[in-house]
Amino acid sequence: METTSNILTLLKQYSAKQRSAVIDFGEFADFLRHYAQHHVNEKAELASYLGSTDDALEEELQHISAAHQVVLMNRDQGKQSIFVVSSFIERYAETYKDIDMNVSIPFPNINDIPKNVPNDIVTKVQCSDLLYKLLDRDEPNDKTLYSLMFNKNIPALLFPSSVSVNLLIKLALKKLQDMLRKEEYHDYFLKKLTISNPGKEISIKNFFNLFVARPEDSMDALRTNGENFYNWSQLCYFIKQDYNKLKDFTSEDINILQSISIVEITASFYKSKTAERVQRDNAFKELDTQMENPPYYFSTHDIENMKDSHGKPLLGQYTKEELNDHLSSMRAQSMGNSLPQLLVFKVNETDGYFILKSKVMQLVIRLCNDARSVIRESLNQVWFKSLLAFDTLPEMKDNIAFEQCLARELQTAEPVLYALLHASFLPVVAFEDSTPGRIVLYRNGALIPYSELLLVSRGEIYSDAKIKLPFWYSLPLVSWLISLIKNRKKNKYRKSVDPDTATEQVMQQEKADAEEKLQKLNAADASNPRSRKKALRNSATVAESKLVPANSTLDRELEAYLQDWNDRLESNVYDNLTQDVNNLIRDYLRKVLRSLRADTLSPERISSLAQSLEESPSLYKIKNHPALRRYIELYIIKLLKNIPS
């Protein structure tokens, strides 16, 4: 036996040697004194028990008693005793081992406790409460003896905390199996089950016979087979219904009723767990589906705030830890040398985004289309202003400077595209891409020039800007004199500041124009402080800030999603379809506007309106419904922002 100075351990050892949970205080004090004399060299702390052991032992027992590990008995009668709780609990743990060997042995009953045992060592608890707690997290220990309380007149069952809850359930199932193997019970309850389930006789018979014939599989069947929860419930109900008709219960009857209650509680627990698992799996399927929809890239905040089709947050149907595990598994799943299903890229040092591998090239193409028109128009305007001021920018004449200019403009206009083009995974994704009409992003191992990627020509932009100039700019002498005068003034008052990119200048101007237009509309309603139209405009502006990226504008996003869902190639057909959809949205909004309140106009409410319209038969034939829905949302915001006074 290993040497120890722990009094509780010595109490357990002495109690086991005496084969009793109640030991005499004086006898144990003598044992402790002799033990200390033999082992004081190994454990110096035993020295306190060499002399007068009683006082030191009494002080130590007070601490252990406060933790409900021992109970001091007969303290006022001269002969003090120590009741070792763990030894008493171990006695009932042995009973459960005996039941496992012989299922006819009844469960220990609350009435089996000897009269000299202190009442406060038993912890009374509802059986359902304890089983739900232990099934969720079973950590056996030898500190507690539970009295499992059942409903109605079923006596309480003693259950030591050192026994696994799975053993308790296994024994309850074995007792039921033992009863149902008897011929009179077997045929009787099988008949009741089949009669109450017409048309399901074969499945009921298979369930019943499998439970009776294969007891070793019953626990797994109860835990995992969600289809049989109804059968378990019915079987337990019929058995309990027959036994409740009895007036006097034998010990065997009590055991069956206790077993039925335990199995019912266990089935209810696993049924709820199965429902939670199904809900969680469905929520993850919805999450995966939404990640396949525009805008295709999502931050952690976006993913945590996703909602299902009923507007219920997905986070809550699964925990944050489960979400992180799901995303991690998607990032780790790969076949051979291929990339995982989910990829991550950073736009800057702080903003990271998730994107499905299957959507990378689709997003690159879409963002290239968006950036082309924006950058081309922005450069056209800025170059025109420069030429008007007789300035010549380096990018107007030099291809290298033009490529550097496009890089700056792209980083401003589409930072997500710029980050994707420089992501480490893009060469592999571009190589694995097998979609029809795939674009080539790399040549000789390097990314193709931005001008080729965006289909932007330096010469075309320069020519378009020059065409807008007044006619006298084409007269050499006149243009030279004007440029001489302007350059002198410009040099005199030039400020040494870094100018914004062309895209930033145009975007700032567009936002300023939109803000000015909104202010004019609100000013017309200034005389009416309760103007409903003004409130709707302001609410639409708030929704716009949440749905439109900071580096974009409402019109830009509308144009991008329009190109996604309107796949008509002919100009007339394209324009007609766009006009028809816009008219449909306007007509729909005109109807709901009567009951639309500004205080409820949130992105979720706008999404709900867009979904209702998107699912209408009129738009059924349009293929890309996710892009169409986002277009409807943005177009509703645009209409609400421009409600006339």
Side-chain angles (χ1 to χ4, degrees):
M1 182 178 65
E2 185 179 353
T3 303
T4 180
S5 60
N6 187 286
I7 296 300
L8 181 60
T9 303
L10 293 173
L11 281 169
K12 291 178 182 179
Q13 294 172 355
Y14 187 78
S15 174
K17 184 178 180 181
Q18 297 295 319
R19 297 179 180 274
S20 174
V22 181
I23 58 178
D24 183 81
F25 179 90
E27 293 177 358
F28 180 72
D30 292 338
F31 163 79
L32 182 60
R33 189 180 305 109
H34 287 94
Y35 181 86
Q37 290 172 354
H38 283 83
H39 299 286
V40 68
N41 293 331
E42 302 171 38
K43 296 286 184 179
E45 54 268 29
L46 291 172
S48 59
Y49 303 113
L50 292 175
S52 179
T53 309
D54 293 3
D55 293 339
L57 177 60
E58 182 76 26
E59 182 180 356
E60 191 68 29
L61 289 175
Q62 292 295 336
H63 294 295
I64 302 175
S65 177
H68 304 288
Q69 295 298 295
V70 300
V71 178
L72 302 180
M73 303 168 56
N74 306 321
R75 301 181 68 180
D76 300 330
Q77 300 177 11
K79 190 175 182 180
Q80 186 173 350
S81 300
I82 307 171
F83 184 85
V84 184
V85 175
S86 59
S87 297
F88 186 71
I89 292 176
E90 184 61 27
R91 167 185 168 183
Y92 288 98
E94 293 294 330
T95 302
Y96 276 85
K97 294 179 182 178
D98 296 339
I99 297 174
D100 195 16
M101 301 296 296
N102 183 4
V103 74
S104 62
I105 299 175
F107 286 124
N109 197 301
I110 188 69
N111 299 323
D112 297 339
I113 297 180
K115 294 182 179 180
N116 64 334
V117 174
N119 294 327
D120 57 353
I121 71 162
V122 178
T123 302
K124 294 183 179 181
V125 63
Q126 284 293 325
C127 183
S128 57
D129 295 341
L130 184 65
L131 258 61
Y132 267 68
K133 176 183 175 182
L134 295 180
L135 283 169
D136 204 28
R137 188 176 182 180
D138 189 14
E139 295 180 351
N141 59 73
D142 61 353
K143 297 181 179 180
T144 312
L145 181 63
Y146 293 108
S147 173
L148 302 187
M149 312 295 290
F150 300 97
N151 296 329
K152 297 185 178 180
N153 298 322
I154 305 175
L157 177 152
L158 291 178
F159 178 67
S161 59
S162 58
V163 175
S164 169
V165 67
N166 290 322
L167 178 59
L168 174 64
I169 298 168
K170 174 186 173 184
L171 297 179
L173 289 168
K174 289 179 71 173
K175 287 182 178 294
L176 292 182
Q177 289 164 340
D178 185 62
M179 179 200 71
L180 293 175
R181 286 195 190 99
K182 299 175 182 178
E183 186 174 350
E184 64 273 19
Y185 292 113
H186 182 281
D187 296 340
Y188 174 71
F189 286 112
L190 177 58
K191 185 177 180 180
K192 292 194 75 170
L193 277 174
T194 52
I195 291 175
S196 63
N197 292 275
K200 298 182 179 179
E201 289 82 0
I202 296 178
S203 62
I204 290 295
K205 189 174 182 179
N206 290 337
F207 159 76
F208 188 87
N209 291 335
L210 187 65
F211 170 57
V212 174
R214 299 175 63 180
E216 66 278 3
D217 297 335
S218 57
M219 186 64 184
D220 291 335
L222 183 62
R223 183 185 294 114
T224 60
N225 197 345
E227 297 179 357
N228 286 332
F229 286 132
Y230 176 75
N231 298 336
W232 283 110
S233 176
Q234 275 205 319
L235 177 61
C236 292
Y237 172 76
F238 288 137
I239 297 175
K240 188 165 56 176
Q241 186 184 48
D242 275 39
Y243 272 85
N244 284 336
K245 295 177 182 178
L246 302 176
K247 293 184 178 179
D248 297 322
F249 294 133
T250 64
S251 60
E252 184 179 355
D253 297 336
I254 292 172
N255 262 237
I256 294 298
L257 288 172
Q258 290 172 334
S259 299
I260 284 293
S261 297
I262 292 170
V263 172
E264 276 187 318
I265 294 168
T266 306
S268 175
F269 172 83
Y270 285 120
K271 182 180 179 181
S272 64
K273 285 295 181 182
T274 300
E276 291 176 7
R277 184 174 65 253
V278 170
Q279 182 188 51
R280 182 174 63 251
D281 293 344
N282 290 336
F284 279 128
K285 288 180 182 177
E286 178 66 21
L287 172 68
D288 295 344
T289 300
Q290 291 194 24
M291 292 186 71
E292 294 179 352
N293 296 337
Y296 306 123
Y297 60 96
F298 305 91
S299 66
T300 303
H301 180 266
D302 296 333
I303 293 175
E304 290 177 353
N305 286 275
M306 284 183 176
K307 298 182 180 181
D308 59 19
S309 58
H310 303 290
K312 185 178 179 181
L314 294 178
L315 186 60
Q317 300 178 49
Y318 46 70
T319 64
K320 196 168 184 178
E321 291 73 18
E322 290 170 340
L323 173 61
N324 293 334
D325 292 341
H326 179 72
L327 296 176
S328 298
S329 66
M330 292 179 68
R331 292 180 60 188
Q333 292 174 358
S334 59
M335 298 293 292
N337 296 325
S338 63
L339 291 171
Q341 180 184 1
L342 186 66
L343 304 172
V344 178
F345 67 97
K346 282 191 174 183
V347 173
N348 50 47
E349 295 297 326
T350 57
D351 297 333
Y353 293 96
F354 295 94
I355 183 172
L356 295 175
K357 181 179 69 173
S358 58
K359 296 298 178 180
V360 172
M361 294 305 296
Q362 186 175 346
L363 180 61
V364 168
I365 295 172
R366 179 199 155 197
L367 294 181
C368 282
N369 292 331
D370 297 349
R372 178 186 305 114
S373 58
V374 174
I375 294 176
R376 181 185 175 87
E377 180 63 27
S378 300
L379 289 178
N380 194 303
Q381 292 184 29
V382 172
W383 286 14
F384 168 72
K385 292 179 181 179
S386 297
L387 292 174
L388 196 62
F390 294 95
D391 267 348
T392 301
L393 302 176
E395 52 266 27
M396 294 179 181
K397 303 292 185 180
D398 183 58
N399 284 330
I400 296 178
F402 182 65
E403 291 295 333
Q404 294 173 349
C405 172
L406 288 179
R408 294 193 301 270
E409 297 295 334
L410 183 62
Q411 195 168 7
T412 301
E414 290 292 353
V416 172
L417 174 59
Y418 187 83
L420 280 174
L421 293 175
H422 293 85
S424 58
F425 56 76
L426 186 63
V428 181
V429 174
F431 178 77
E432 294 179 355
D433 182 35
S434 58
T435 56
R438 61 186 292 265
I439 63 172
V440 178
L441 294 181
Y442 292 87
R443 186 182 301 120
N444 299 326
L447 187 69
I448 61 177
Y450 290 110
S451 57
E452 189 175 340
L453 181 68
L454 300 175
L455 300 179
V456 175
S457 170
R458 177 181 60 82
E460 289 181 2
I461 298 176
Y462 186 65
S463 298
D464 291 344
K466 286 184 67 176
I467 291 173
K468 297 179 182 179
L469 295 172
F471 76 92
W472 58 79
Y473 277 72
S474 60
L475 302 176
L477 183 59
V478 176
S479 61
W480 178 79
L481 289 174
I482 297 175
S483 65
L484 188 62
I485 297 171
K486 287 195 172 186
N487 284 332
R488 285 181 179 177
K489 291 183 178 180
K490 184 168 55 180
N491 291 332
K492 184 177 181 180
Y493 299 105
R494 187 184 298 271
K495 295 181 180 179
S496 57
V497 293
D498 294 328
D500 295 331
T501 61
T503 304
E504 284 179 314
Q505 296 177 39
V506 173
M507 285 175 54
Q508 290 170 5
Q509 185 60 44
E510 289 179 357
K511 291 180 179 180
D513 293 342
E515 182 65 25
E516 183 181 358
K517 184 176 180 181
L518 180 63
Q519 290 176 359
K520 287 181 179 179
L521 290 170
N522 287 339
D525 293 326
S527 59
N528 183 6
R530 297 185 179 180
S531 173
R532 180 168 169 268
K533 293 181 179 179
K534 180 179 178 180
L536 285 172
R537 291 190 208 103
N538 293 334
S539 298
T541 304
V542 174
E544 178 190 6
S545 65
K546 296 180 180 179
L547 294 177
V548 177
N551 64 304
S552 185
T553 62
L554 181 60
D555 290 334
R556 282 181 58 192
E557 292 298 305
L558 277 169
E559 183 63 28
Y561 287 111
L562 174 62
Q563 294 177 8
D564 279 350
W565 65 261
N566 193 342
D567 56 356
R568 273 52 175 182
L569 298 179
E570 295 184 17
S571 177
N572 292 338
V573 179
Y574 180 91
D575 294 339
N576 290 337
L577 179 59
T578 303
Q579 189 64 32
D580 290 343
V581 172
N582 290 347
N583 289 336
L584 188 64
I585 299 173
R586 281 195 291 269
D587 293 340
Y588 175 72
L589 184 61
R590 194 177 294 113
K591 295 177 183 178
V592 301
L593 196 58
R594 301 168 187 170
S595 58
L596 193 61
R597 293 166 45 194
D599 57 344
T600 62
L601 189 63
S602 62
E604 291 77 16
R605 174 61 171 152
I606 294 174
S607 178
S608 176
L609 294 174
Q611 182 179 357
S612 300
L613 182 57
E614 173 223 345
E615 294 173 351
S616 64
S618 304
L619 301 175
Y620 178 75
K621 293 185 178 180
I622 293 179
K623 297 179 181 178
N624 194 342
H625 273 248
L628 174 62
R629 182 185 301 183
R630 183 55 68 94
Y631 177 84
I632 296 173
E633 293 174 3
L634 297 175
Y635 199 77
I636 288 175
I637 291 176
K638 182 175 181 177
L639 292 175
L640 291 174
K641 282 184 62 180
N642 293 280
I643 296 177
S645 302

